Amino acid sequence: MLSNVRYMELLIFLILFPLLIAGLITLIHGENFRRGAVICGAVLVGIASLFALMGSVTSHPIFYSVPVGIIGILIFIGDIAISGYIIFVSTKARQYLVTAITIIQLILLCAVEYLALSDHATIPELFLDQLSGIMAAIIGIIGGLICVYALGYMREYHTEHPERPDKRPQFFGIMFLFLSAMFGVVFSNNLLWLFFFWEITTLCSYLLIRYPETDEAIKNAFRALLFNLVGGACIPIAFIVIFLSHGSDLIGLHELVVAGPGIALIPAGLIGIAGLAKSAQFPFSSWLVGAMVAPTPVSALLHSSTMVKAGVYIIARFAPVFEGQLIGILIALIGGVTFLAASAIAISQSNAKKVLAYSTIANLGLIVACCGVGTAEALWAAILLIIFHAIAKSLLFLSVGTVEHQIHSRDIEDMTGLVTKMPRITMIILIGIAGMFLAPFGMLISKWASLHAFVESVPPFGILLVIIIAYGSGITAFFWAKWMGKLIAVGEPQQKDESHIPKSEKNILYILSALTIGVCFGFPIISWYLIEPWLQNIYQSVTELISLSNIEIMFMMLFLVLIMPFSLARFSRSASRVPRYLCGIPESRSTEFIGSCGITREIELSNYYLDKIFGEERLSRISVGIGIFLIVLILNIIIVGGGL
Amino acid sequence: MSYLQKSPWIIHYDASSCNGCDIEVLACLTPLYDVERFGILNTGNPKHADIFVITGGVNEINKEVVKNIYDQMPHPKVVVAVGICACSGGVFKECYNISGGVATVIPVDIYVPGCAARPESIIDGIVQALSILEQKRNSMKTGVEGTA
Amino acid sequence: MNPFLAAAVFIILAPVVGILITGLDRILTARMQGRVGPPVLQPWYDIRKLIQKKQVAVWGAQSFFIFCYLIFIIFTGALFFAGGDILLVIFAFTLAHVFLVLGAYVSFSPYAHIGAERELIQLMAVEPMIIIAAIGLYQVNDSFLIGEMADHPGMPILLLPGVFLGFIYILTFKLRKSPFDLATSHHAHQELVKGSTTEFSGRTLAMVELAHIYELVVMLGFIWLFFGANLILCALAIVVIMFLEILVDNCTSRVRWQDAMISAWFVTLVAGAGNIFALSIM
Ligand code: SF4
């Protein structure tokens, strides 16, 4: 075990080292150098983040004050620089709404800084506890893997789209800058720092979404920026509230949470709104769907496994404040509505990336619902969801990216019978999908836990959430299962051909699928050593959250699933092949039959999308409406509460 | 008696019959005759069926269909030709497009004559088919494939 | 009872009970139509016969998925009667059905494909109600463990009338009875041929039939939970419910999937969700 000081050096290393890599990659061009730097950087960041995870396995959080006073000023200057840059690009692109919001934010920030100068606080800037450790490991390991994957992917991307400008040095630079900022978010105790890193992630997301430089990409990038800024603007307001009412001692995350709901509720609610925007909850969700124009590694890293998780991370931090409060319930309801609506919309989508995007929004909704409820059990489920979702979803995004480069389509219908063409990749996608909704994989364990958690909490609202999950889980099963079905439905076996896939991509996919299965086995360990001690710290008394017999059952099921593939070989031998039944019409070839008048016809089968019922436009209109209503309700409560 | 005989599932196909025999086949399912008493079900799906009940004299167009349905039935299986058309082509034998009896296309095990064949004789034919089914099952077990 | 013993008893006895009930079902159906009907053991003969047939398939993987389906249905039932966590039972149940659907998908056959899609729609239609039933039972028993629910001295149904009604409604889906036999049906010869089971034959089809029989017993097990320890009343209720299901089966025709799904969700919301919501306020 390292000493505390060493750990703090580790944190600073994690924040600064990706920055160094980012600088190197941007400045020194050349494919080989970039390759080396990205791989080295990813490995080192991964290892360091694992150390951070191990370091967090102590019973108490470790706090650390950075001894350099000047950093506060530097961060303020950084904030101004970011705002300045956004004002510059948005006026150039005539996105005046973005400009206006940035200016408002800047003014608020100056006010905060003015207050902070007169009332200088002495709180630890950085800290490390179990939740930070878990988040850091997700960022470090999955982020690293995705960066390495992106090496091969981006090369193919530019051969496929020669018309788009090749700015790979900047691309990888921004990716590493983003990693650095994410570490900053999860390690910051000082909320001013946290806000600074938060804004960097928003900026990175904007830059990466507009990477293709098509009109659509630019438009969607600004939409993402706009929604995140609207949310982000709530944070400085929260600061002002803190400074004016309680002074600068509460500007630390830990201090604020410990202060209890009486004091912290209003700032927490405001910051919670920023979290909702960041994690793409209704009514903000449309930016995440638009963000899918970005190259797939970006979608995997920013828009499913890490950046959007910053939103739920911050809500999870304030969960103890929200527990049993009306604001918490409203936030939970927003999460619940988002879970239900986004899952339903996913049914009507045939674009694989959009399905993934909506399912991401839905799962974030579930996490938000857990955090909003804020009981120990709900939070336990939320953190497990964060872990499982990050791994399985990035696996799915990356494998869809790989498939897309091979079949030149991201449409699920075009993936019919993929199992014969790319058996390994299909297997990986199947693992990923199973990880998203089937017992005994992780997401389902968490869903189970959240049902347990909701049923007892804040009656009758808990039951409302339970009902939402009940409907949502049926819907989720529908759209995932039909995708699975498409992959394995074999019309005519195609030539097996996986040789064009870059080695690095394949290896990353293997590692991620191993992780998906691995965390299912390891989740009791994660729970005992990380999540439960963390909850113990926050809630003092924690009952045993998952009883031993249930773990046994889960293992039994996992075991069943794992041995099944071995019996596959036995069955495929024992049956003799007979063509499919077409009312007696013979097949001339495997997927063709002779129709009336002797015309040869192809069998075409496509999935149900039920868009009369689950149409995207209709459902999003309704749920954005509900979302706005709930957000306004929260704001009203905050204003009224602040006035009292 | 093996289980095969206790649960014969049939598929009924109309290979250009005049519909007279079809009506009689369906009459077997009605309360009056109620073949379900013997466990007989009309499955309408060759992959589930044991007995292929076929009516009519098979024309040039549906020859392939008859063959296809026969091929898709899993062993052991028997074919019952119902009505004189199915047995030999009957009154349509000389027609330009009739191949003349089911046996010209697939092997037939039981012939049920009559125009139209009476439900009693159809049931009788199917019951007789059961013992052939049993024989085929035995020869399948000993390694010799049924008359495919 | 010892959980492992209970599970073993289920695995051995469920087919016996299931086959008897299915056999009686077929006789009753025949009587309602003015026929005599098959022997009681007919389902058993059917399964044995199917096992004797030669195995044919479009792709070998079909039988693999169906094998998984059967295994997980049995697992679900064993978990149920061993007194496990009711939510886990439900999730295992869903998993089993996903395997059935995948088995239907594999063949790329038009009929099986439509059957698979409809099977999924049925899954989506009934899932909310089953989960809500589990939650309702939790509210009454204060435990998610089926073992403890079964010992409830009173009658949970008195507190859960809405949930019970909703559950009976979706039971029709689960028993594959008209008007909700969208995916595949016991009655022969229709536009879908045999829907999701079209491409299965021989041993594979036998596994499907066997799984249906286990499934029936599990569903009846759920009804039992509404009656707690009052076994006689429970048996009576099962008789009445099965009679009603068969009656409805015989006098309705299949509805469109839209009507099936929306009506199931509506009933779930009004009867089921309304009931548990009211309980949580009290
Ligand atoms: S045998 Fe007679 S009734 Fe039967 S199909 Fe031929 S003509 Fe018609």
Side-chain angles (χ1 to χ4, degrees):
Chain A
M1 282 278 147
L2 303 173
S3 71
N4 281 5
V5 180
R6 283 270 171 280
Y7 278 125
M8 287 312 135
E9 286 173 3
L10 187 67
L11 299 194
I12 294 179
F13 171 80
L14 276 172
I15 297 174
L16 290 185
F17 178 70
L19 210 57
L20 175 75
I21 300 273
L24 285 178
I25 297 174
T26 328
L27 294 178
I28 307 176
H29 292 213
E31 180 129 15
N32 284 335
F33 172 76
R34 184 164 62 232
R35 206 181 166 72
V38 167
I39 293 177
C40 274
V43 170
L44 281 175
V45 167
I47 293 174
S49 65
L50 270 181
F51 270 110
L53 180 69
M54 273 154 33
S56 66
V57 191
T58 50
S59 50
H60 290 289
I62 313 164
F63 292 92
Y64 182 62
S65 306
V66 181
V68 196
I70 192 98
I71 293 186
I73 306 290
L74 281 180
I75 281 186
F76 180 56
I77 295 172
D79 279 330
I80 293 178
I82 295 172
S83 302
Y85 177 76
I86 294 175
I87 292 173
F88 171 67
V89 289
S90 58
T91 39
K92 215 169 96 181
R94 296 169 191 277
Q95 297 277 354
Y96 297 118
L97 201 53
V98 177
T99 320
I101 289 174
T102 320
I103 291 174
I104 294 174
Q105 204 177 36
L106 198 59
I107 294 170
L108 289 170
L109 213 66
C110 289
V112 171
E113 201 61 26
Y114 174 74
L115 292 170
L117 278 181
S118 58
D119 179 9
H120 198 71
T122 45
I123 47 155
E125 275 83 12
L126 295 177
F127 79 123
L128 175 66
D129 68 356
Q130 287 89 350
L131 181 56
S132 304
I134 292 171
M135 290 297 292
I138 292 175
I139 298 160
I141 295 171
I142 297 180
L145 289 173
I146 293 175
C147 284
V148 175
Y149 172 94
L151 283 170
Y153 182 91
M154 291 311 288
R155 195 175 51 237
E156 284 189 325
Y157 181 84
H158 284 291
T159 16
E160 196 163 301
H161 303 287
E163 77 285 356
R164 297 185 185 165
D166 186 350
K167 297 177 298 185
R168 271 183 282 167
Q170 287 92 318
F171 177 85
F172 284 98
I174 299 169
M175 293 284 263
F176 273 90
L177 170 66
F178 167 76
L179 290 185
S180 153
M182 274 308 291
F183 282 123
V185 169
V186 298
F187 291 143
S188 294
N189 183 47
N190 187 331
L191 287 169
L192 293 170
W193 287 40
L194 191 143
F195 177 68
F196 169 65
F197 291 121
W198 182 277
E199 290 295 286
I200 297 182
T201 60
T202 302
L203 187 68
C204 289
S205 157
Y206 158 78
L207 289 171
L208 289 169
I209 295 172
R210 73 173 285 171
Y211 182 78
E213 289 294 344
T214 57
D215 289 344
E216 192 196 4
I218 294 171
K219 199 183 99 216
N220 290 348
F222 274 109
R223 174 142 33 111
L225 196 55
L226 177 66
F227 283 171
N228 275 306
L229 286 175
V230 171
C234 294
I235 300 183
I237 300 178
F239 293 165
I240 294 177
V241 173
I242 296 173
F243 275 119
L244 287 182
S245 55
H246 307 288
S248 63
D249 291 336
L250 290 184
I251 202 70
L253 187 56
H254 179 75
E255 287 75 8
L256 191 58
V257 174
V258 168
I263 295 168
L265 190 59
I266 289 168
L270 285 165
I271 297 177
I273 292 177
L276 290 176
K278 194 107 198 159
S279 52
Q281 302 297 293
F282 280 110
F284 303 106
S285 65
S286 66
W287 75 262
L288 190 81
V289 183
M292 292 299 129
V293 294
T296 302
V298 175
S299 316
L301 181 60
L302 276 76
H303 305 134
S304 79
S305 56
T306 54
M307 189 185 83
V308 288
K309 295 274 164 37
V312 291
Y313 163 81
I314 198 71
I315 301 179
R317 281 281 176 208
F318 287 114
V321 179
F322 291 138
E323 185 184 356
Q325 302 289 338
L326 195 53
I327 290 185
I329 291 164
L330 290 174
I331 287 179
L333 280 182
I334 290 181
V337 169
T338 305
F339 172 62
L340 190 62
S343 307
I345 294 174
I347 289 183
S348 66
Q349 302 301 314
S350 75
N351 179 329
K353 268 186 92 172
K354 274 186 120 180
V355 172
L356 293 181
Y358 274 114
S359 123
T360 303
I361 297 174
N363 284 305
L364 291 170
L366 194 52
I367 302 173
V368 167
C370 290
C371 299
V373 167
T375 58
E377 246 189 339
L379 210 51
W380 185 84
I383 293 167
L384 273 186
L385 273 168
I386 291 178
I387 300 170
F388 290 130
H389 180 259
I391 300 171
K393 208 30 112 23
S394 54
L395 172 66
L396 275 174
F397 264 112
L398 295 187
S399 44
V400 164
T402 299
V403 170
E404 185 189 348
H405 275 167
Q406 302 303 312
I407 65 172
H408 308 292
S409 163
R410 15 169 113 159
D411 199 304
I412 291 172
E413 294 299 324
D414 293 330
M415 295 185 193
T416 309
L418 197 69
V419 68
T420 53
K421 189 167 184 219
M422 300 190 238
R424 297 229 177 99
I425 302 295
T426 309
M427 210 55 211
I428 289 169
I429 302 182
L430 289 177
I431 291 176
I433 295 181
M436 292 305 301
F437 84 107
L438 280 183
F441 283 99
M443 294 295 287
L444 206 93
I445 299 177
S446 332
K447 207 182 272 175
W448 170 74
S450 50
L451 276 173
H452 274 235
F454 290 159
V455 73
E456 277 297 315
S457 51
V458 280
F461 296 99
I463 288 294
L464 217 54
L465 290 172
V466 165
I467 295 167
I468 286 175
I469 294 191
Y471 277 91
S473 72
I475 291 171
T476 325
F478 184 82
F479 73 82
W480 286 123
K482 73 180 181 172
W483 185 353
M484 280 178 128
K486 265 283 125 167
L487 293 171
I488 56 161
V490 180
E492 188 162 352
Q494 293 160 306
Q495 188 65 39
K496 185 183 154 187
D497 184 16
E498 292 185 304
S499 56
H500 299 298
I501 304 166
K503 253 238 156 63
S504 62
E505 285 189 18
K506 261 195 247 179
N507 289 336
I508 299 295
L509 291 178
Y510 292 150
I511 296 174
L512 277 173
S513 18
L515 272 179
T516 308
I517 298 173
V519 286
C520 294
F521 282 110
F523 94 89
I525 300 169
I526 299 176
S527 169
W528 284 323
Y529 287 101
L530 292 163
I531 306 178
E532 282 174 28
W534 184 69
L535 293 172
Q536 183 76 44
N537 274 337
I538 293 179
Y539 293 91
Q540 268 67 48
S541 71
V542 173
T543 49
E544 196 171 356
L545 291 164
I546 185 159
S547 65
L548 214 58
S549 68
N550 287 325
I551 293 178
E552 279 169 20
I553 288 160
M554 295 200 179
F555 270 107
M556 223 144 76
M557 292 181 62
L558 204 55
F559 174 70
L560 276 172
V561 171
L562 289 182
I563 55 159
M564 294 274 173
F566 296 105
S567 46
L568 182 61
R570 203 178 81 76
F571 279 110
S572 44
R573 254 184 287 120
S574 64
S576 57
R577 202 188 166 258
V578 161
R580 48 188 72 83
Y581 178 63
L582 297 171
C583 280
I585 304 292
E587 284 180 312
S588 55
R589 231 186 34 176
S590 185
T591 54
E592 282 175 357
F593 64 95
I594 312 207
S596 57
C597 305
I599 300 167
T600 307
R601 288 177 190 281
E602 186 89 22
I603 302 178
E604 278 175 27
L605 302 175
S606 88
N607 271 337
Y608 283 14
Y609 290 95
L610 318 187
D611 46 5
K612 283 250 168 55
I613 299 176
F614 298 107
E616 185 178 14
E617 215 177 300
R618 176 166 162 252
L619 283 185
S620 5
R621 217 178 316 127
I622 298 172
S623 28
V624 166
I626 299 176
I628 291 177
F629 174 73
L630 291 172
I631 289 270
V632 170
L633 218 53
I634 294 178
L635 285 175
N636 273 326
I637 293 172
I638 288 172
I639 293 167
V640 173
L644 289 176
Chain B
M1 202 158 98
S2 88
Y3 294 104
L4 256 180
Q5 301 195 32
K6 285 186 178 164
S7 147
W9 291 358
I10 63 170
I11 175 167
H12 164 220
Y13 181 68
D14 168 1
S16 65
S17 105
C18 77
N19 277 178
C21 287
D22 297 321
I23 302 272
E24 302 300 326
V25 168
L26 294 178
C28 300
L29 301 170
T30 58
L32 188 57
Y33 298 100
D34 188 24
V35 284
E36 208 195 347
R37 278 178 298 157
F38 311 114
I40 298 176
L41 281 186
N42 184 2
T43 64
N45 175 2
K47 300 196 169 178
H48 294 186
D50 312 296
I51 301 180
F52 189 5
V53 174
I54 179 165
T55 58
V58 185
N59 60 42
E60 293 299 328
I61 296 290
N62 66 22
K63 230 175 179 172
E64 290 303 317
V65 177
V66 171
K67 265 193 215 150
N68 185 267
I69 291 178
Y70 181 75
D71 288 341
Q72 290 197 341
M73 291 170 63
H75 288 290
K77 57 189 170 187
V78 291
V79 178
V80 178
V82 170
I84 201 66
C85 290
C87 295
S88 67
V91 286
F92 303 114
K93 189 176 172 68
E94 302 302 322
C95 259
Y96 70 99
N97 63 342
I98 290 289
S99 49
V102 178
T104 56
V105 185
I106 52 173
V108 174
D109 299 279
I110 298 286
Y111 295 91
V112 179
C115 177
R118 296 166 62 83
E120 288 89 344
S121 45
I122 297 174
I123 295 173
D124 189 40
I126 290 174
V127 170
Q128 285 193 34
L130 295 180
S131 54
I132 299 181
L133 204 57
E134 188 65 29
Q135 279 168 25
K136 289 195 179 180
R137 155 87 188 150
N138 290 335
S139 56
M140 202 176 100
K141 258 199 293 201
T142 49
V144 192
E145 287 284 286
T147 43
Chain C
M1 213 191 316
N2 177 322
F4 288 99
L5 189 67
V9 167
F10 164 79
I11 293 172
I12 296 161
L13 277 190
V16 178
V17 176
I19 282 170
L20 284 178
I21 294 177
T22 321
L24 288 172
D25 172 351
R26 279 175 73 170
I27 293 177
L28 195 56
T29 300
R31 293 294 155 87
M32 283 180 182
Q33 298 168 354
R35 296 185 288 115
V36 176
V40 184
L41 287 182
Q42 190 60 41
W44 169 242
Y45 301 151
D46 290 347
I47 290 175
R48 288 304 305 266
K49 176 211 61 181
L50 286 169
I51 293 173
Q52 290 180 346
K53 298 274 286 185
K54 196 165 183 291
Q55 183 94 335
V56 298
V58 179
W59 308 116
Q62 282 176 311
S63 3
F64 163 68
F65 286 113
I66 295 307
F67 179 67
C68 295
Y69 168 50
L70 176 61
I71 292 290
F72 274 101
I73 287 284
I74 295 177
F75 178 76
T76 307
L79 196 57
F80 185 100
F81 286 94
D85 184 304
I86 192 166
L87 289 174
L88 280 184
V89 169
I90 293 171
F91 292 146
F93 206 43
T94 311
L95 173 65
H97 280 97
V98 169
F99 276 118
L100 170 65
V101 170
L102 293 183
Y105 262 115
V106 169
S107 58
F108 197 73
S109 150
Y111 299 107
H113 179 86
I114 295 182
E117 301 276 350
R118 291 193 176 183
E119 198 80 52
L120 279 178
I121 288 179
Q122 287 186 348
L123 191 68
M124 181 163 66
V126 303
E127 182 100 349
M129 190 59 233
I130 298 190
I131 293 182
I132 283 175
I135 300 296
L137 288 166
Y138 168 82
Q139 288 174 319
V140 175
N141 294 288
D142 228 13
S143 162
F144 276 109
L145 291 179
I146 291 171
E148 290 174 23
M149 292 181 183
D151 293 334
H152 192 282
M155 298 254 285
I157 189 178
L158 295 179
L159 287 173
L160 300 167
V163 172
F164 187 70
L165 275 183
F167 191 81
I168 300 301
Y169 193 83
I170 59 114
L171 192 65
T172 319
F173 284 89
K174 279 288 164 201
L175 301 182
R176 297 180 161 73
K177 292 211 173 288
S178 200
F180 301 136
D181 50 351
L182 303 175
T184 180
S185 159
H186 299 296
H187 308 300
H189 232 115
Q190 35 198 318
E191 83 284 8
L192 285 183
V193 187
K194 272 288 185 181
S196 44
T197 61
T198 302
E199 298 295 336
F200 304 137
S201 69
R203 225 177 311 135
T204 315
L205 190 59
M207 287 195 276
V208 176
E209 296 282 329
L210 192 59
H212 285 348
I213 283 167
Y214 274 110
E215 205 183 322
L216 171 70
V217 178
V218 177
M219 293 318 285
L220 296 183
F222 270 99
I223 293 182
W224 166 43
L225 294 183
F226 284 96
F227 291 88
N230 301 297
L231 288 181
I232 299 170
L233 260 179
C234 165
L236 208 67
I238 287 177
V239 170
V240 174
I241 289 164
M242 284 309 288
F243 179 79
L244 287 178
E245 290 285 352
I246 295 167
L247 186 67
V248 170
D249 186 32
N250 276 296
C251 49
T252 53
S253 59
R254 174 190 281 173
V255 297
R256 298 183 312 152
W257 65 259
Q258 289 93 334
D259 300 339
M261 190 182 84
I262 303 282
S263 72
W265 277 8
F266 183 73
V267 171
T268 305
L269 189 67
V270 174
N275 194 165
I276 62 168
F277 196 75
L279 268 185
S280 85
I281 292 175
M282 278 180 349

